[in-house]
Amino acid sequence: MQWVLFATLMIGASLFTACSSNDGKSDTPVPPVIPNQPEKADYAILFYGYGGGNLDYDILNNIKQFYAADSTSYNKVKIAVQYKFSSDEDFKQQLDYDPNDYEDPQEKASIVEYLEEMKSWIAKWQNRSLFTFRFTVDPKKTVEQQMVADNVHGIRNGHIATADSLLAFINWAAKACPAKHYVLLLSDHGAGYMPNEDLPYTPKNTTRSLLIDNNKTERLSVNSLRYAIANASIKPQVVYFDACLMNCFEYLFELKDYTDYIVASSFLVPGWGGDYTVLTNKLANCNEDTESALKAYTKACVEQWDKNFGDETVESFTDMTVVRTRGLDAFGQKVRSFTDILLNAYQSSDEKRSAIDTATVNAMKIYRDMPLYDLFIYGIILAAKVPELEAPYFEMKKCYDNECMVAHQTCAYLRAQGINGSVLLGWEGQYEEIYWKNDNEGWVFSDAVLYKPDGKAYLYSDEAEEEPDRELHWDSTFADTYEQTAFDKATGWSRWIKANKQRPATMSVFTEGYNANEPRKKPRTK
């Protein structure tokens, strides 16, 4: 107490001296020093993830990568983690393979090795199923030492896929890891933008495109994601989706005012995801040149995926893009101009309408099930069919390349396709999800749901391709969902979806030659 009194008197004396001058005039007071205020790191990575039913093994390895960075990197980069494990049932599904189903000795041996590895992993981690852990990474420890009772944030089946849970994590992490720049890293399965799933935000909304928590039937939509980021105590400089299909323009525009960069994949991400050791080191050594760090990081990740996942002779479908959000407003104006001319051409003559219909039926579908199409591949096909679309297409593409895109990396197999941004495509205000199955001779139709603009939906099965099995309802309308997105308000793209009479392509490059029945040796995707 005597020491505290003495220190208080000394602080008061120093303040009095600082506020006085020889001529009796007051200067600006010197603010008191607040003790124990941590120095800000250059960056803080805020990792927020969920096991997704079959990704725990891979995502846990991702988290371990945070502990393998260069020792000097931790002086500049702090890391906060919140992770929820999947359920016991999900763990056991990883063992759902029988080596006797494989005739090839090498394949059989590979399955046996995989099963032994998974049994050992499950035995080690199963007691944490459905628990949520929250902590800051201590590089002097291991992830096993940090995912312990002291760091349990949510008891079994706690929340992970709601706007409130994400918002609370961001605010906690910003205090735990004060930094000049924040990277919000979201890891789980992704699904891109879908009007029937990304419904208007409410606290009890159970729709999804990201962090699909089937154990609580809670799923994070683009609207709830935007709500959490917009209301957070800090603005993340980077939002990084380590998840499939998230580089869609509907998502980019929804988040453009709340972050400077978005890192995402238009196509697929292998289950093992990005390399977080590389991410940590690149950020630590970039002298706060975030663009250069992200560009180097995407290149390193896709090169590693190429090495493990495919080459120019093997079908592989991975990519990663970095988008600079400040250029999206200008890009939106170019997309609107392109859409205006497309609509005028479509309505001008039967000849041009027929040419455009031919382009639409041959559009590049990003993924076999979802109605997501590459905007630029579609645009150049249209421009090849209708001359007046050529100039606005190249203006749109040039604007995106110069103003928005920092880096665009695709695996060797897809490089010629140039996939770098998806968009919803439908006809007469409707769109469809189509599910395919492989009958060992090729891909065949399984079932589909056709979503009507008025909120009705129709289920079609393989037994009833022409007539629907039953009528459904998707809880909203096209006007109340898609037409309310920031992307559509900027571009008017919904006008084309409503005016278009031609059903877009139903299959994709991903479907060609892909065997859905192959086991774990085909990597899981996010």
Side-chain angles (χ1 to χ4, degrees):
M1 289 298 294
Q2 289 178 338
W3 182 89
V4 172
L5 179 61
F6 174 76
T8 302
L9 291 171
M10 290 300 294
I11 291 172
S14 64
L15 286 175
F16 177 80
T17 303
C19 293
S20 303
S21 63
N22 293 334
D23 58 6
K25 295 180 181 179
S26 296
D27 297 321
T28 303
V30 177
V33 177
I34 302 174
N36 301 322
Q37 187 76 3
E39 184 178 350
K40 286 187 175 181
D42 286 351
Y43 292 91
I45 300 173
L46 316 184
F47 174 90
Y48 191 78
Y50 171 57
N54 67 343
L55 290 174
D56 293 276
Y57 177 88
D58 295 305
I59 297 180
L60 192 63
N61 284 334
N62 279 144
I63 297 172
K64 287 181 178 180
Q65 291 165 352
F66 283 133
Y67 295 79
D70 297 338
S71 58
T72 55
S73 293
Y74 300 110
N75 297 325
K76 294 187 175 183
V77 181
K78 306 302 179 185
I79 303 155
V81 170
Q82 183 165 318
Y83 182 70
K84 179 181 177 182
F85 283 89
S86 300
S87 67
D88 294 319
E89 293 75 14
D90 292 327
F91 279 13
K92 292 173 183 176
Q93 285 182 7
Q94 309 311 307
L95 304 175
D96 193 21
Y97 297 107
D98 186 350
N100 295 321
D101 291 338
Y102 300 87
E103 296 181 1
D104 183 274
Q106 190 171 358
E107 285 188 346
K108 184 176 291 190
S110 176
I111 294 299
V112 170
E113 181 181 358
Y114 161 74
L115 290 173
E116 289 303 313
E117 181 182 3
M118 289 307 299
K119 287 177 183 176
S120 174
W121 184 88
I122 290 171
K124 182 177 182 179
W125 292 99
Q126 194 167 16
N127 65 336
R128 295 171 176 86
S129 68
L130 285 179
F131 277 88
T132 301
F133 293 85
R134 177 190 280 184
F135 55 90
T136 58
V137 168
D138 181 350
K140 296 178 182 178
K141 297 182 179 180
T142 65
V143 68
E144 290 87 352
Q145 291 171 333
Q146 293 211 263
M147 283 191 176
V148 292
D150 289 347
N151 291 324
V152 169
H153 174 67
I155 58 174
R156 285 182 63 85
N157 215 14
H159 297 284
I160 190 77
T162 67
D164 288 341
S165 61
L166 175 58
L167 175 59
F169 166 71
I170 296 173
N171 288 341
W172 168 82
K175 290 182 179 179
C177 298
K180 300 174 186 175
H181 310 289
Y182 294 91
V183 178
L184 177 60
L185 200 172
L186 301 161
S187 178
D188 185 24
H189 291 292
Y193 177 85
M194 292 284 286
N196 56 294
E197 293 166 339
D198 288 276
L199 300 178
Y201 171 71
T202 66
K204 295 183 178 180
N205 196 313
T206 58
T207 59
R208 73 93 174 90
S209 270
L210 180 73
L211 289 168
I212 308 163
D213 188 349
N214 291 328
N215 293 292
K216 288 190 77 70
T217 62
E218 292 175 342
R219 309 165 185 201
L220 201 63
S221 71
V222 65
N223 299 301
S224 49
L225 175 62
R226 184 192 63 239
Y227 175 88
I229 296 175
N231 288 279
S233 60
I234 54 95
K235 175 184 176 180
Q237 187 188 30
V238 181
V239 174
Y240 169 20
F241 296 105
D242 201 2
C244 295
L245 304 172
M246 299 305 292
N247 190 44
C248 49
F249 289 109
E250 291 85 356
Y251 258 85
L252 298 184
F253 273 74
E254 216 63 41
L255 300 177
K256 67 181 176 61
D257 296 329
Y258 307 107
T259 187
D260 298 328
Y261 302 95
I262 297 175
V263 182
S265 297
S266 306
F267 213 86
L268 300 181
V269 175
W272 58 75
D275 190 322
Y276 300 167
T277 300
V278 174
L279 176 63
T280 305
N281 288 336
K282 294 294 183 186
L283 290 173
N285 297 319
C286 74
N287 295 318
E288 297 184 64
D289 181 358
T290 305
E291 284 199 11
S292 296
L294 295 177
K295 188 172 183 177
Y297 174 66
T298 57
K299 185 174 187 293
C301 286
V302 175
E303 285 180 350
Q304 187 63 37
W305 295 346
D306 268 349
K307 180 179 178 181
N308 294 333
F309 195 28
D311 55 38
E312 292 189 18
T313 63
V314 178
E315 291 172 344
S316 53
F317 311 92
T318 60
D319 71 297
M320 189 184 293
T321 299
V322 182
V323 170
R324 187 190 301 114
T325 58
R326 68 173 181 264
L328 287 173
D329 285 334
F331 172 65
Q333 294 175 6
K334 299 297 183 183
V335 177
R336 177 173 284 276
S337 297
F338 179 83
T339 307
D340 289 344
I341 297 171
L342 173 60
L343 284 164
N344 289 336
Y346 197 67
Q347 296 163 353
S348 65
S349 70
D350 291 342
E351 181 182 2
K352 288 184 178 178
R353 174 175 163 176
S354 178
I356 292 170
D357 284 346
T358 301
T360 302
V361 79
N362 288 292
M364 173 67 186
K365 195 175 188 183
I366 295 291
Y367 185 65
R368 64 177 187 268
D369 300 334
M370 317 299 287
L372 311 176
Y373 295 77
D374 185 271
L375 176 61
F376 296 110
I377 295 177
Y378 184 43
I380 201 167
I381 294 173
L382 289 167
K385 299 289 184 180
V386 181
E388 58 260 49
L389 286 171
E390 184 174 343
Y393 164 76
F394 282 108
E395 287 183 13
M396 177 177 72
K397 184 66 166 64
K398 181 180 178 181
C399 181
Y400 179 76
D401 289 344
N402 293 343
E403 303 299 326
C404 304
M405 193 171 67
V406 176
H408 168 225
Q409 311 291 339
T410 61
C411 72
Y413 185 80
L414 282 181
R415 198 155 289 134
Q417 298 290 351
I419 293 173
N420 51 20
S422 72
V423 68
L424 182 76
L425 187 57
W427 73 107
E428 297 179 337
Q430 62 191 347
Y431 60 95
E432 62 184 339
E433 288 185 80
I434 301 179
Y435 297 95
W436 304 89
K437 59 186 177 182
N438 194 296
D439 64 356
N440 296 321
E441 295 182 1
W443 284 93
V444 296
F445 176 82
S446 174
D447 53 74
V449 179
L450 179 64
Y451 294 96
K452 292 289 193 176
D454 61 359
K456 292 181 180 178
Y458 296 93
L459 174 66
Y460 293 81
S461 69
D462 55 352
E463 289 86 12
E465 286 192 48
E466 300 299 326
E467 296 295 328
D469 289 281
R470 64 179 185 270
E471 182 177 307
L472 308 171
H473 197 272
W474 58 275
D475 297 327
S476 192
T477 66
F478 190 73
D480 289 337
T481 54
Y482 198 86
E483 292 181 46
Q484 304 308 311
T485 62
F487 175 72
D488 192 55
K489 289 179 178 179
T491 66
W493 184 251
S494 66
R495 296 173 297 156
W496 173 237
I497 295 177
K498 291 187 289 186
N500 176 33
K501 304 294 182 185
Q502 176 63 55
R503 182 188 187 191
T506 60
M507 297 183 76
S508 75
V509 64
F510 181 52
T511 314
E512 181 68 25
Y514 180 78
N515 185 351
N517 299 317
E518 288 190 1
R520 177 66 175 89
K521 69 190 184 86
K522 269 280 189 183
R524 286 183 288 259
T525 56
K526 293 187 173 185

